[in-house]
Amino acid sequence: MENKLDKELLPIGSVVQLEGGTKKIMVIGLFPFDMNKQDKVYDYMGVLYPEGYLGKESACMFNHDKIAQVYFRGFEDEEREKFLDVVQQVYDSAEKTIREQAN
């Protein structure tokens, strides 16, 4: 399992351009599940900027490596750092479980 926090994750509210994209995307969530493929987790959920959320069809999921440019970095504080610490613990635990099941 890939450690998602090895790379610098952008905070909620960040505005990016994806590779090959023509519109800016604003990050509205981290680690969304693809409901069609429940084992698939992305790095981010986003919506078109400046339009925002216009219904579930307006949201997209993408990974950090598909970001071509960062226009704006969202708000960061101690609460976000604590959240990332918890997420890191969950990923570490899941990674350990996967390793143990593989043996």
Side-chain angles (χ1 to χ4, degrees):
M1 176 175 207
E2 178 183 327
N3 186 338
K4 298 284 188 190
L5 299 180
D6 278 349
K7 60 183 158 286
E8 188 175 340
L9 287 173
L10 294 170
I12 302 297
S14 296
V15 178
V16 302
Q17 178 90 39
L18 300 180
E19 293 175 356
T22 58
K23 293 278 293 176
K24 293 178 181 88
I25 303 290
M26 183 174 66
V27 174
I28 64 167
L30 298 175
F31 310 122
F33 285 88
D34 184 334
M35 296 307 286
N36 296 319
K37 302 180 240 172
Q38 293 197 4
D39 60 338
K40 179 67 175 165
V41 179
Y42 291 86
D43 295 334
Y44 303 104
M45 176 176 279
V47 293
L48 293 176
Y49 177 87
E51 292 90 340
Y53 185 78
L54 300 171
K56 64 182 179 180
E57 292 81 27
S58 70
C60 65
M61 294 177 273
F62 58 96
N63 287 320
H64 195 87
D65 62 353
K66 299 301 181 195
I67 297 173
Q69 184 173 354
V70 176
Y71 289 98
F72 176 78
R73 191 171 175 89
F75 182 68
E76 299 176 82
D77 66 358
E78 292 175 9
E79 189 172 4
R80 179 177 185 270
E81 291 303 316
K82 289 176 186 175
F83 168 74
L84 291 177
D85 288 344
V86 170
V87 171
Q88 182 68 61
Q89 291 172 14
V90 169
Y91 271 93
D92 290 347
S93 176
E95 190 173 56
K96 179 182 175 191
T97 300
I98 290 169
R99 277 195 313 266
E100 288 172 353
Q101 290 177 351
N103 293 330

